[in-house]
Amino acid sequence: MTAEEVVTEGCSIPVEGEDITPKKDGGVLKMVKKEGTGSELPMTGDKVFVHYVGTLLDGTQFDSSRDRGEKFSFELGKGQVIKAWDIGVATMKTGEICKLICKPEYAYGAAGSPPKIPPNATLVFQVELFEFHGEDITDGEDGGIIRRIITKGEGYTKPNEGASVEVCLVGRHEERVFDERELKFEVGDGESLGLPPGVEKALQSMEQGEEAIFTIKPKYGYGTAGSNKFDIPANATLQYKIKLKAFEKAKESWEMNSIEKLEQSVIVKEKGTQYFKEGKYKQAAVQYKRIVSWLEHESSMEPEEEEKAKALRLAAHLNLAMCYLKLQEASPALESCDKALELDTNNEKALFRRGEALVVMKEFDRARADFQRVTQLYPANKAAKSQIVLCQKHIKAQHEKDKRLYANMFQKFAERDAKKEADQEKEQEKKQNGGAMEIEENGALEQTAA
């Protein structure tokens, strides 16, 4: 514990607390009011949830989350709050309450924050930490990959698809280390090394020199299949400690001229074909997608270059369709075929593969139309003729099913209508009988009166 004096409006006010600044310059003093629980502290990038009350040194309150009745949250170490908070909250445990005395250079500096915080103001915060958790790095923030940064990296750039990376990694399942390696590879090739998709997704969120722990849910891990190589069961949650030692970004589309795009497209097409031959359809698809991203909107080519680009794009879409069919992903396969047919209206492979995708989607009429078109344009295609027969069987079976369904439906309607008519007849008969009885009773009364 240290004691210092803070000068405010010409007066010296003694304050106490532990200097928690990295430089030990007395810029942030901390006093624990209530001890927290556990031993874990928030890490850079963690989302923290706190309540706070902020006052000037004379006790004047300028802000309070408690008065608003809503906890305040922010990502630690990202510069979303004043420096004193990034430093102070990083030292807190769950449930801890502390006082932070923050000199101007760690708060709002010479400018202050008018009208409530004057220039060069030392601020006092009472902060309570309720909870913290890692950063969700998935695109849809579905909780599938959570990052907790051990050591912050340098710079602002991150690896992209195709980047060369050099990493150290340790994979754990529960308490067991199942994978511990130093690797050099291109992002997109990780699966061929036995890495789950979540690791490559994690790498694309990291800065050079960063070390972090990633919790990877099954969707981004080894899924329902598990991993025989590493003895990982189905639906297992994994933890990877990764250090990104170095990387070299792959050139983005805007960084390449048309010649470079064509040259790189030929290279990755061959790479994709090799993956496909090895049965690595996901990795193959990654390579074909790169060709599409490079060439789809390229408009500064000479006529000869345009023809080469068109041929490469067509091949990429056709190969993507085949990859998706192998992966049983019919919708993207259909989309790739449509893209191919935009480039070549009567392309045999595109029509046939679109038909295959439609069969998987059980759209047999549309599938038959595509296969029929194939046989009209390419009479020698026996596979298309077989597919037409198969589609017709499915269509006939569907018609028979519909006929039975409608027959049952009509039968139910007929039975319902018959019951309704019978009920109406009974009701009418009841009313008629009731009227007759009333007439008889009235007649009897009249006769007695007479």
Side-chain angles (χ1 to χ4, degrees):
M1 197 74 96
T2 63
E4 297 192 4
E5 288 189 342
V6 174
V7 178
T8 178
E9 296 182 356
C11 300
S12 295
I13 300 176
V15 293
E16 291 186 349
E18 179 188 356
D19 183 354
I20 59 172
T21 59
K23 297 178 181 179
K24 298 300 177 186
D25 59 8
V28 185
L29 301 180
K30 176 186 175 184
M31 288 181 286
V32 177
K33 297 293 186 179
K34 177 190 171 187
E35 293 287 347
T37 58
S39 59
E40 195 171 15
L41 302 176
M43 295 181 178
T44 299
D46 282 1
K47 191 163 191 176
V48 299
F49 295 81
V50 302
H51 261 318
Y52 68 91
V53 178
T55 61
L56 303 177
L57 274 178
D58 64 4
T60 303
Q61 181 177 305
F62 60 82
D63 195 10
S64 171
S65 65
R66 292 190 185 279
D67 289 351
R68 293 192 296 274
E70 184 178 353
K71 294 185 184 77
F72 178 69
S73 65
F74 65 98
E75 291 179 3
L76 190 66
K78 296 292 188 73
Q80 296 177 356
V81 290
I82 60 173
K83 289 180 184 178
W85 273 46
D86 272 337
I87 293 169
V89 176
T91 68
M92 298 178 70
K93 299 173 184 176
T94 302
E96 180 180 321
I97 300 176
C98 74
K99 179 186 283 187
L100 299 175
I101 301 167
C102 319
K103 286 188 176 178
E105 55 268 35
Y106 287 88
Y108 292 97
S113 183
K116 293 186 176 182
I117 300 174
N120 296 309
T122 294
L123 307 180
V124 180
F125 289 95
Q126 181 161 294
V127 183
E128 180 175 2
L129 177 61
F130 287 87
E131 63 173 310
F132 56 88
H133 53 72
E135 177 188 6
D136 186 345
I137 64 163
T138 58
D139 295 332
E141 294 191 358
D142 59 11
I145 308 175
I146 302 297
R147 169 171 66 175
R148 304 202 65 210
I149 297 173
I150 301 169
T151 305
K152 196 176 184 308
E154 300 173 351
Y156 298 98
T157 60
K158 298 173 176 64
N160 58 350
E161 195 75 55
S164 299
V165 296
E166 185 178 345
V167 302
C168 293
L169 57 83
V170 179
R172 285 185 173 85
H173 173 239
E174 296 176 345
E175 298 300 318
R176 178 176 65 91
V177 174
F178 65 86
D179 189 8
E180 188 170 5
R181 289 182 282 175
E182 291 193 17
L183 296 171
K184 291 182 180 180
F185 63 99
E186 286 187 9
V187 176
D189 294 347
E191 197 169 346
S192 63
L193 299 169
L195 298 176
V199 168
E200 292 197 301
K201 184 73 176 172
L203 284 168
Q204 292 179 70
S205 72
M206 300 179 74
E207 297 165 350
Q208 183 154 317
E210 180 180 321
E211 186 173 18
I213 295 172
F214 295 88
T215 301
I216 301 175
K217 293 291 179 68
K219 177 182 176 182
Y220 299 92
Y222 294 115
T224 56
S227 170
N228 292 328
K229 179 179 179 180
F230 295 117
D231 193 26
I232 302 296
N235 299 313
T237 295
L238 311 174
Q239 187 185 84
Y240 271 89
K241 182 178 179 182
I242 304 174
K243 181 172 184 179
L244 180 58
K245 295 172 67 177
F247 73 92
E248 184 178 340
K249 285 189 73 171
K251 278 190 173 182
E252 301 283 3
S253 180
W254 56 270
E255 296 177 301
M256 294 188 283
N257 60 36
S258 58
I259 299 298
E260 288 176 311
K261 287 178 182 179
L262 288 170
E263 289 174 348
Q264 288 301 309
S265 294
V266 171
I267 292 169
V268 299
K269 179 175 177 287
E270 291 303 316
K271 195 172 183 179
T273 301
Q274 186 58 42
Y275 278 136
F276 189 89
K277 288 177 180 177
E278 295 170 2
K280 297 172 181 175
Y281 306 120
K282 286 183 180 179
Q283 293 99 308
V286 167
Q287 304 305 322
Y288 299 135
K289 284 179 187 175
R290 292 172 72 187
I291 296 172
V292 173
S293 69
W294 289 335
L295 301 178
E296 194 166 29
H297 302 294
E298 180 59 46
S299 58
S300 59
M301 291 185 175
E302 298 295 328
E304 186 178 342
E305 293 173 343
E306 284 181 4
E307 284 302 310
K308 290 180 181 177
K310 183 179 177 181
L312 284 164
R313 285 169 57 204
L314 178 60
H317 286 305
L318 290 171
N319 292 341
L320 269 172
M322 182 58 79
C323 289
Y324 288 132
L325 286 169
K326 292 289 187 182
L327 294 166
Q328 291 295 301
E329 296 178 16
S331 292
L334 184 67
E335 186 178 341
S336 293
C337 291
D338 286 339
K339 291 282 188 181
L341 288 166
E342 287 175 13
L343 296 168
D344 182 0
T345 309
N346 296 321
N347 186 274
E348 182 178 9
K349 290 179 180 177
L351 288 167
F352 187 88
R353 289 171 191 173
R354 187 169 71 175
E356 288 183 301
L358 290 166
V359 166
V360 175
M361 298 168 75
K362 300 188 184 305
E363 295 192 30
F364 301 113
D365 282 311
R366 289 178 63 194
R368 179 176 63 179
D370 275 341
F371 293 129
Q372 286 173 336
R373 192 169 164 197
V374 172
T375 58
Q376 290 166 4
L377 295 169
Y378 308 97
N381 193 319
K382 295 180 181 178
K385 294 175 184 176
S386 299
Q387 288 291 341
I388 291 171
V389 173
L390 182 65
C391 287
Q392 287 171 336
K393 286 181 180 178
H394 281 297
I395 292 167
K396 184 179 179 182
Q398 187 62 51
H399 285 166
E400 291 296 326
K401 184 178 178 181
D402 291 344
K403 190 187 295 182
R404 289 193 299 272
L405 178 65
Y406 291 133
N408 290 335
M409 191 183 298
F410 291 138
Q411 179 64 29
K412 287 179 182 177
F413 287 155
E415 289 173 358
R416 186 190 67 182
D417 292 343
K419 185 176 183 301
K420 189 175 180 181
E421 287 177 10
D423 290 342
Q424 288 173 344
E425 287 176 3
K426 286 180 182 178
E427 187 66 27
Q428 188 65 30
E429 186 178 338
K430 187 177 178 182
K431 286 180 180 179
Q432 289 173 351
N433 291 338
M437 288 175 67
E438 188 177 340
I439 291 168
E440 288 176 7
E441 289 174 0
N442 289 339
L445 286 170
E446 288 171 1
Q447 194 171 13
T448 303

